[in-house]
Amino acid sequence: MAGPHTARGRARAQMLTDIKQQALRQLGEEGAAALSLRAIARDLGVVSSGLYRYYANRDALLTALIIDAYDDLTAAVDTADADLAPSAFRDRWIARCAALRRWALAEPARFQLLYGTPVPGYRAPEDTVGPAVAVDAALVRLVADAAAAGALRPLPAVGSEVLEAQLERVAVGLGLAVPPAALAVAVSAVGTLVGLVTLELGGHFVGGFEPVDALFAHAVGDLADRLGLPSGPA
Amino acid sequence: MAGPHTARGRARAQMLTDIKQQALRQLGEEGAAALSLRAIARDLGVVSSGLYRYYANRDALLTALIIDAYDDLTAAVDTADADLAPSAFRDRWIARCAALRRWALAEPARFQLLYGTPVPGYRAPEDTVGPAVAVDAALVRLVADAAAAGALRPLPAVGSEVLEAQLERVAVGLGLAVPPAALAVAVSAVGTLVGLVTLELGGHFVGGFEPVDALFAHAVGDLADRLGLPSGPA
DNA sequence: TGTACATCAGTGAACGCGCGTTCACTGATGTAC
DNA sequence: TGTACATCAGTGAACGCGCGTTCACTGATGTAC
């Protein structure tokens, strides 16, 4: 392995990102299933077999793209409320949810890569689990913060021992202290966000709710209500 | 056109469904993007060019599969509460939501065909809009029935003129009388259902909430609470 | 500083495969008199 | 009921295209003495 301080090392790093960048361009135009190493090589002015110096095969490239996408989405969600007062939990929730949608609309193909139909013949390796969970964690963390600040409305128990146990296990897995009932709302909130964005990207709202902004904002506000998030210090 | 009472007519009808059936088998094994006319022909013991007597091209077959899938899903949802008392709105809601999930888990590829990543290069024609809307209508209709029976909790106004106008337009489009605020909840409920099922099919709950039954039931119950649906005559 | 060797990026040809769609055709089924 | 013609299902060959991956190779970049 050449270090990053040799010309080779720098060229290699550049090429790795060039490949991903071209892959993303293709992804945006044709969808993940049509992602082709030969087309990427063509666009880069390189012979297709040359790519195997950088990625072991097509699946390895897909995995890299998936991990990058999770990381980007997590970062988008996590930084969305940077300008808001830490105690403005409701506004922060809204900002984070909106960031998820904004990212998805800006990068539909990458969103579909994460939450759409599994790519035929591709099986996501373990490495993608951590980055995938980080997205959920970015939303749940806010709820945990609100809980720590005593800013969550007390919710009725979930009323299912199985679910209660699962929720506790997941909270531990995330390393976050969230009351089970609140976590249940947060997780199904992730479902709502993913579902609404999926429907929007799939054109299911065309002719009805387009633009979807108002519907999405209402749904997000509703979720905040269920969590009992207060607007903050005003 | 040979009528349906000639040997040719019957053979033709049979072949049309045989093709779809083989297509569904392939869909289940490889995903929609990999659907191939040649493979279907091979499975049917027919030469690939022969299929063009039945479907103008690959897209036409995809369209037929999509419409069938919407129709099946709608039927599954619509008949899910047939055994329940008409006034047991809450139980009926739960039954209908559960039917959607059950159908999706039984037919994951067909669900993804409807709500997953758009098939590359395929543009859904207008004919699919009606069947797509029918699924939503199957869920909203129950809410409309509850509203007509005075069984919906009065909800606060949605607080957005844009959204209010959209909701009214959609209600008219569906031909259903639903208070705007309740329709907003119902539509975002569709988002929640699609999102949770999408996450489940994508393996996002593995190691956390599997089996997802309890989480799903809780989310559906929560939605019923927001609509204020009563359990019925007890 | 200069030379000998090792590393590795990128080439070009090849393997073996798959696809959608068109076209002229043969032979069986259906229709009209 | 029997014959002449029209319809149409299915054939087989072909067009033109794309793909992932392997392999032996050349030539430039890097390393160790």
Side-chain angles (χ1 to χ4, degrees):
Chain A
M1 278 280 156
H5 297 300
T6 63
R8 251 192 207 159
R10 269 175 281 116
R12 181 173 184 83
Q14 182 64 47
M15 188 67 170
L16 278 164
T17 69
D18 284 355
I19 292 171
K20 283 200 275 200
Q21 194 176 307
Q22 283 301 332
L24 288 178
R25 220 174 51 81
Q26 245 189 263
L27 214 70
E29 285 168 17
E30 305 261 16
L35 188 123
S36 140
L37 293 184
R38 289 186 105 110
I40 292 167
R42 227 178 287 127
D43 286 347
L44 290 173
V46 151
V47 110
S48 71
S49 52
L51 297 188
Y52 288 79
R53 296 254 164 229
Y54 298 94
Y55 294 97
N57 49 39
R58 184 172 173 267
D59 281 8
L61 174 56
L62 264 176
T63 299
L65 293 175
I66 288 172
I67 291 174
D68 277 10
Y70 277 128
D71 288 350
D72 275 16
L73 175 54
T74 299
V77 172
D78 243 340
T79 62
D81 54 2
D83 290 344
L84 300 176
S87 61
F89 293 112
R90 174 177 252 269
D91 291 346
R92 287 177 61 200
W93 170 259
I94 290 170
R96 284 179 173 236
C97 292
L100 185 142
R101 173 165 175 253
R102 208 178 315 118
W103 188 88
L105 296 185
E107 313 257 19
R110 298 176 81 195
F111 179 85
Q112 303 275 21
L113 188 60
L114 304 182
Y115 298 103
T117 312
V119 179
Y122 172 79
R123 181 108 193 97
E126 279 298 318
D127 322 32
T128 62
V129 173
V133 169
V135 175
D136 306 335
L139 286 163
V140 174
R141 190 170 308 116
L142 175 62
V143 178
D145 288 355
L152 280 189
R153 174 166 61 100
L155 294 166
V158 294
S160 152
E161 283 181 26
V162 175
L163 182 55
E164 184 102 18
Q166 289 175 335
L167 289 163
E168 270 166 27
R169 183 150 36 88
V170 167
V172 169
L174 292 172
L176 295 169
V178 206
L183 181 55
V185 175
V187 170
S188 93
V190 174
T192 304
L193 298 177
V194 168
L196 287 176
V197 168
T198 293
L199 290 175
E200 182 172 6
L201 291 179
H204 285 262
F205 289 139
V206 173
F209 292 100
E210 208 108 69
V212 189
D213 302 68
L215 178 67
F216 188 84
H218 185 259
V220 167
D222 228 43
L223 291 166
D225 288 346
R226 280 159 80 200
L227 288 165
L229 292 174
S231 304
Chain B
M1 278 283 156
H5 297 298
T6 63
R8 251 193 206 159
R10 269 175 279 116
R12 180 173 185 83
Q14 184 63 49
M15 187 67 170
L16 277 164
T17 70
D18 284 356
I19 291 171
K20 283 200 275 199
Q21 196 177 305
Q22 283 301 333
L24 287 179
R25 221 176 49 82
Q26 246 190 261
L27 214 68
E29 284 168 17
E30 304 260 18
L35 188 123
S36 139
L37 293 183
R38 290 186 104 111
I40 292 168
R42 226 178 287 130
D43 287 347
L44 290 174
V46 150
V47 110
S48 70
S49 52
L51 297 187
Y52 287 80
R53 296 253 165 231
Y54 298 92
Y55 293 97
N57 49 41
R58 186 173 172 265
D59 281 9
L61 173 56
L62 264 176
T63 298
L65 294 174
I66 288 172
I67 290 173
D68 277 8
Y70 276 129
D71 288 350
D72 275 16
L73 175 54
T74 298
V77 171
D78 243 341
T79 62
D81 54 3
D83 290 343
L84 300 175
S87 62
F89 293 112
R90 173 177 252 269
D91 292 344
R92 288 177 60 199
W93 170 259
I94 290 170
R96 285 179 172 236
C97 292
L100 185 142
R101 171 165 176 255
R102 207 177 317 116
W103 188 88
L105 295 185
E107 312 257 21
R110 297 176 82 195
F111 179 85
Q112 302 275 22
L113 188 61
L114 304 182
Y115 297 104
T117 312
V119 180
Y122 173 79
R123 181 109 195 94
E126 277 300 318
D127 323 31
T128 62
V129 173
V133 169
V135 177
D136 306 335
L139 286 163
V140 174
R141 189 173 306 115
L142 174 62
V143 178
D145 287 355
L152 281 189
R153 173 166 61 99
L155 294 165
V158 294
S160 152
E161 284 181 25
V162 175
L163 182 55
E164 183 101 20
Q166 288 175 336
L167 288 163
E168 269 166 28
R169 184 150 38 88
V170 167
V172 169
L174 292 173
L176 296 169
V178 206
L183 180 56
V185 175
V187 170
S188 93
V190 173
T192 303
L193 298 177
V194 167
L196 287 175
V197 168
T198 293
L199 290 173
E200 182 172 6
L201 292 179
H204 284 264
F205 289 137
V206 173
F209 292 99
E210 208 108 71
V212 188
D213 303 67
L215 178 66
F216 187 84
H218 184 259
V220 166
D222 229 43
L223 291 167
D225 289 344
R226 279 158 81 201
L227 288 166
L229 292 174
S231 303

